[in-house]
Amino acid sequence: MTIYEVAQRVGVSIATVSRVVRGHGEVAKETRRRVLEAVEELQFRPSRLGQSLAEGRHAANGIVFPDLSGPYYAEVILGYEEVAAELGSSVLILATHGRADPDRKVLDLARRVDGMAIMGRTVSDGVVAQVAATGMPTVLLARPPVGELDTVTTDSDASARELVAHLLGHGYRRFAYLGDPAESPDVTARYDAFRAALVDAGSPPPRAPLRCAFDVPAGREAGQRALARSPRPQVLVCANDEVALGALAAAQQLGLSVPDDVAIVGWDDVMAARYAGLTTVRQPMRALGATAARWLQDRMVVSRFPVRREVLQTQLVIRESCGQHPVDMEVS
Amino acid sequence: MTIYEVAQRVGVSIATVSRVVRGHGEVAKETRRRVLEAVEELQFRPSRLGQSLAEGRHAANGIVFPDLSGPYYAEVILGYEEVAAELGSSVLILATHGRADPDRKVLDLARRVDGMAIMGRTVSDGVVAQVAATGMPTVLLARPPVGELDTVTTDSDASARELVAHLLGHGYRRFAYLGDPAESPDVTARYDAFRAALVDAGSPPPRAPLRCAFDVPAGREAGQRALARSPRPQVLVCANDEVALGALAAAQQLGLSVPDDVAIVGWDDVMAARYAGLTTVRQPMRALGATAARWLQDRMVVSRFPVRREVLQTQLVIRESCGQHPVDMEVS
DNA sequence: TTGAAAGCGCTACCAC
DNA sequence: GTGGTAGCGCTTTCAA
C-alpha cells in the first residue's frame, strides 16, 4: 500500500495525496474528501522510511545503557521513554553490557536516530566523541562529561557526606567499601565521595575497595571477604543496593547480626531496599531519564544551545541496617 | 557523508562502493583497498534509511507494554532486547499505559519495525488484528490469543492449584482476592485460576475481587478495605507482588501481624518479595521476552510457519507471609 | 488547486 | 570487475 496506489485510485497525483495526508498545503474540499475516503478504504499509512528519507529525520532517539537488569536502569529508561514519547519520538534501546563490540552497536544505533542518550560505562569516551562529531545531538547520563556534551548526573558528594556523618555519629570507625570503581563511573563517584567525606571529617581514609560486580551474588561474595578481615569492619558501604543485599546475605550466613555486629549501607534505594531495611541513598532515576530526553529535544530543535550540566539531588534514607535508632526515622 | 562522496573520492561508481562496504559481489583487490581507505578517511557509514528503503526492511522490531514501572515489564523487555540484539535487530519500546491514543501509537510503531511483540492489555484485539492483517509478524505476550497469532504466556493454573493447596493446608478458609481482573489479562488468568483451584478443592468460591490498580499504594488501600471486612479474611491473595507489598503495609498499619493475624501472598517474585518474606509465584519474565523475540525472528525468516502457543512454567515460592512453617523452606 | 519532477541514500540487476 | 540505472516511498518546490 503506497501513496501511488492511493493517488491512482482517486485519480490525483501523489503530491495531492501527500498534502491531504499531512494536512499541509491547500486542497479543494471535495478532493480532500475523496482522498481521505481512499486512504480509509485502502488503509493507507505512509511508509516511515520514505517519509524519513524525504524529511531527513528519523523521529526517533535512542538510549544506551550497560544492561537492564537491576531496577536502576529500568527506571531511567522509563523516565526517558515517557518524555520522548510525549515529544513524538520513538525510542530505541540498546544494552551493551557483556556484549561483543559495543562500539559498533552504538555507532549502528546512531544511524537510526536523531539523538541519543548514553549512560554509564557503555562505550569509551572516544566513541562518544565520534558519535557527537557527526553532529548527533547527544546527552550523557550518569557518566563524566566528554567534550562539550550535555551531561546530567546525580549527586554523590552531599549524600556521602551526610551518610558518613551519620555513620560516624553511630560511633563507627572501621569501614569497608564494596564495589569496583573501575566498573562504572557511578561507583567511582560514590567511592571518591565516600572517601573524601571520611577524610574531611578527620578520619583516616578507608582501605582500598573490595572490588565486585554490581549484583547480589557478587555482593555476597565480597561481603564474605570483607567480614573475614581482622579486625572486622564495623560498616560495609556498598556501591549499590544489590551489592548491599548480597552483603546482608553474607552477614546472615556468617551468623552476624545486622546492624548489631555489622552495619550495611547501600546506594540507589531500589524497591527491595525498603523491605530489607537498608539504609541507602535514593536516586532520582526517572528524573535522570526524563531530563536526558528533554535536553535532547532542545538540542534537536535549536541548533546552537549552551552546554548543559546538571547534578540532580539525592536523598539519604535511614533505615535499620546502619544501626539502632531511638525512633523509627522512616516509617511508610 | 553519502556513498556518492565516497565514490567520487575514489573515482569509482557508487555500485562499487556498495559492493565493498557490504562485502558482496566481486571487487578487484586494489579497488577494494582504495574504497576502504576512503571509507575510513571520510568516516562513511551508510544511511540506515537509504539501506532500509532499498532492502525493504527495517532490521528492527518493537515491543509494546503497559508501562515500565514495576520490575516485571522491565525484565521481560530485557529478555526481549537481549535476543533481538543477538539476532541483529534494533529494539523499539513503546509504553501505552496512561497515554492518550494507544492505538495510534501502536500503529505508528508498526511503521518502523519488521515485527512486534505486544504485551498485556495495551491495545484492543481489534488493533492487534489490524496490525497482524498488514502481514506484520506479531507475537502476543502474557495476553489471550487473537486469531492465529503466536502467543506466549505463563502458567497460572498449576501454581494457583499448588498455592491453594498450600493455603488450605495451613487451615485457612476465608480468602480475599486483591486486584482488578479487568485491568490486565494476567490478573484475569490469575484470579480465574485461583477461583477454580479453590472450587476444585471443594471450597466455596471466593468473594468478588477487591479491585485495585497494580502498585503498592493501590495494594495498601485495597488491603485496608479487605481487612476491614467482617469476618476478617485469613488470607489476602494479591494480583501481583506490589499489591501484596501494599497489603503488607496495610496490615502493619492496622497492627496486624503477618502471618499470624493474616496471611498474604503475591505473584511474580520481584526482588523485593524475597526481602519482604512474601510467598509468591515466580514468573520466568526474561524467558517470556526472549521467547517472543525468538519467535518473531522465526516468523520473519520463514514466511509460513505453524501457529505457536506456549505456556511457560511458573514456580510457587513459599516464604513467611503465608504462615508459620516447621523449617525454613527457602533459605538463599 | 493541482501535477510533474527532483531529490533523499542506498541496493541490486543488467550491461559492458 | 565495474558502471549505469531503476527502483524503494515519500516530501516539497516550481509551474501550470
Side-chain angles (χ1 to χ4, degrees):
Chain A
M1 187 39 29
T2 75
I3 200 173
Y4 289 95
E5 307 178 50
V6 179
Q8 182 162 36
R9 172 79 113 92
V10 182
V12 295
S13 73
I14 60 167
T16 298
V17 177
S18 180
R19 284 188 197 103
V20 171
V21 171
R22 319 205 87 225
H24 283 183
E26 299 301 286
V27 179
K29 209 156 194 168
E30 170 61 9
T31 312
R32 151 176 280 101
R33 196 193 56 67
R34 284 168 46 226
V35 170
L36 286 176
E37 193 177 284
V39 163
E40 185 58 33
E41 272 177 34
L42 300 175
Q43 293 269 18
F44 168 71
R45 311 218 132 242
S47 146
R48 237 295 143 210
L49 290 172
Q51 229 168 354
S52 289
L53 194 57
E55 286 173 356
R57 64 182 217 116
H58 298 271
N61 47 54
I63 181 165
V64 183
F65 55 98
D67 60 20
L68 194 52
S69 60
Y72 180 90
Y73 297 115
E75 285 291 316
V76 175
I77 292 171
L78 170 56
Y80 186 85
E81 198 272 351
E82 188 167 356
V83 173
E86 217 164 79
L87 266 27
S89 270
S90 291
V91 175
L92 287 125
I93 60 172
L94 173 65
T96 58
H97 199 83
R99 231 97 121 186
D101 209 349
D103 293 0
R104 197 192 146 55
K105 295 201 161 111
V106 168
L107 260 11
D108 229 67
L109 177 64
R111 297 190 307 146
R112 345 181 123 253
V113 297
D114 304 316
M116 53 199 282
I118 302 181
M119 276 189 90
R121 170 155 282 105
T122 45
V123 286
S124 66
D125 286 11
V127 174
V128 170
Q130 187 177 347
V131 168
T134 64
M136 170 79 60
T138 307
V139 7
L140 269 22
L141 273 184
R143 183 189 201 299
V146 174
E148 293 289 88
L149 293 178
D150 293 342
T151 306
V152 51
T153 55
T154 57
D155 167 74
S156 291
D157 294 321
S159 38
R161 226 165 275 279
E162 257 188 276
L163 177 64
V164 163
H166 185 86
L167 294 173
L168 291 173
H170 273 297
Y172 301 130
R173 292 299 177 268
R174 295 193 310 277
F175 301 91
Y177 190 89
L178 277 61
D180 188 352
E183 165 123 346
S184 127
D186 265 331
V187 181
T188 313
R190 292 169 187 186
Y191 177 69
D192 289 351
F194 164 66
R195 182 195 168 90
L198 216 45
V199 170
D200 289 359
S203 303
R207 295 177 60 173
L210 286 112
R211 296 175 191 281
C212 69
F214 240 20
D215 52 44
V216 175
R220 167 154 44 195
E221 189 275 327
Q224 285 164 341
R225 273 188 289 148
L227 296 171
R229 280 183 171 177
S230 170
R232 192 206 299 141
Q234 295 169 299
V235 190
L236 308 184
V237 177
C238 301
N240 76 356
D241 286 345
E242 278 141 297
V243 170
L245 293 171
L248 222 48
Q252 232 168 316
Q253 212 169 337
L254 293 171
L256 297 174
S257 153
V258 175
D260 296 335
D261 297 323
V262 59
I264 296 181
V265 303
W267 222 286
D268 283 350
D269 196 23
V270 302
M271 190 173 25
R274 169 188 307 281
Y275 299 95
L278 200 60
T279 289
T280 188
V281 176
R282 182 175 300 160
Q283 303 283 326
M285 308 176 258
R286 301 277 286 250
L288 205 54
T291 302
R294 205 126 38 205
W295 286 7
L296 224 34
Q297 173 72 1
D298 294 340
R299 262 222 188 282
M300 286 162 41
V301 171
V302 183
S303 44
R304 290 315 302 162
F305 209 88
V307 179
R308 279 166 151 184
R309 296 279 150 83
E310 190 168 338
V311 179
L312 303 179
Q313 288 316 297
T314 56
Q315 187 194 352
L316 180 62
V317 179
I318 307 289
R319 297 202 182 94
E320 303 81 49
S321 73
C322 68
Q324 302 299 344
H325 298 93
V327 286
D328 267 344
M329 303 188 62
E330 209 230 15
V331 177
S332 103
Chain B
M1 188 38 28
T2 75
I3 199 173
Y4 289 95
E5 306 177 50
V6 178
Q8 182 163 36
R9 172 80 112 91
V10 182
V12 296
S13 73
I14 61 166
T16 298
V17 176
S18 180
R19 283 187 199 105
V20 171
V21 170
R22 319 206 88 224
H24 284 183
E26 299 300 288
V27 179
K29 208 155 195 169
E30 170 60 8
T31 311
R32 153 176 278 101
R33 197 192 54 67
R34 283 168 45 224
V35 170
L36 286 176
E37 194 176 282
V39 163
E40 184 59 31
E41 272 177 33
L42 299 175
Q43 292 269 17
F44 168 70
R45 311 219 131 240
S47 145
R48 239 292 142 214
L49 290 172
Q51 233 169 352
S52 290
L53 194 56
E55 287 174 355
R57 62 181 218 115
H58 298 270
N61 48 55
I63 181 165
V64 183
F65 55 97
D67 61 19
L68 193 51
S69 61
Y72 180 89
Y73 297 114
E75 285 290 317
V76 175
I77 292 171
L78 172 55
Y80 185 84
E81 199 272 352
E82 187 167 357
V83 172
E86 218 163 78
L87 265 28
S89 272
S90 291
V91 175
L92 287 125
I93 60 173
L94 173 64
T96 57
H97 199 82
R99 230 99 123 186
D101 209 351
D103 293 0
R104 199 194 145 55
K105 295 203 161 107
V106 168
L107 259 12
D108 228 68
L109 177 63
R111 297 192 306 145
R112 343 180 125 255
V113 297
D114 304 316
M116 53 199 281
I118 301 180
M119 276 190 90
R121 170 156 282 105
T122 45
V123 286
S124 66
D125 286 12
V127 174
V128 171
Q130 188 177 345
V131 168
T134 64
M136 170 80 59
T138 307
V139 6
L140 268 21
L141 274 183
R143 182 188 203 300
V146 174
E148 293 290 87
L149 292 177
D150 294 341
T151 306
V152 51
T153 55
T154 57
D155 167 75
S156 291
D157 294 322
S159 39
R161 226 166 275 280
E162 257 188 276
L163 178 63
V164 163
H166 185 86
L167 295 173
L168 291 173
H170 273 298
Y172 302 131
R173 291 299 177 270
R174 295 193 309 279
F175 302 91
Y177 189 90
L178 278 60
D180 188 353
E183 165 122 347
S184 127
D186 265 331
V187 180
T188 314
R190 291 169 188 187
Y191 177 70
D192 290 351
F194 164 66
R195 180 194 170 90
L198 216 45
V199 170
D200 289 359
S203 304
R207 296 176 57 174
L210 286 110
R211 296 176 192 280
C212 69
F214 240 19
D215 51 44
V216 176
R220 167 155 43 195
E221 188 275 327
Q224 286 164 340
R225 272 189 288 148
L227 295 172
R229 281 183 171 176
S230 172
R232 192 205 299 141
Q234 297 169 298
V235 190
L236 309 183
V237 177
C238 301
N240 77 355
D241 286 344
E242 279 141 296
V243 171
L245 293 171
L248 221 48
Q252 232 169 316
Q253 213 169 333
L254 294 172
L256 297 175
S257 153
V258 174
D260 296 334
D261 297 323
V262 59
I264 296 180
V265 303
W267 223 287
D268 283 350
D269 196 23
V270 303
M271 191 173 23
R274 169 188 307 281
Y275 298 96
L278 199 61
T279 289
T280 187
V281 176
R282 182 176 300 161
Q283 303 284 325
M285 308 177 258
R286 301 277 287 248
L288 203 55
T291 302
R294 205 127 38 206
W295 285 8
L296 224 35
Q297 172 73 1
D298 294 341
R299 261 221 190 282
M300 286 162 42
V301 171
V302 183
S303 44
R304 291 314 304 162
F305 209 86
V307 179
R308 279 166 152 184
R309 296 278 150 87
E310 191 168 337
V311 179
L312 303 180
Q313 287 317 297
T314 56
Q315 187 194 352
L316 181 62
V317 179
I318 306 288
R319 296 205 181 93
E320 303 83 47
S321 73
C322 67
Q324 302 299 344
H325 298 94
V327 285
D328 267 342
M329 302 190 61
E330 209 229 16
V331 177
S332 105

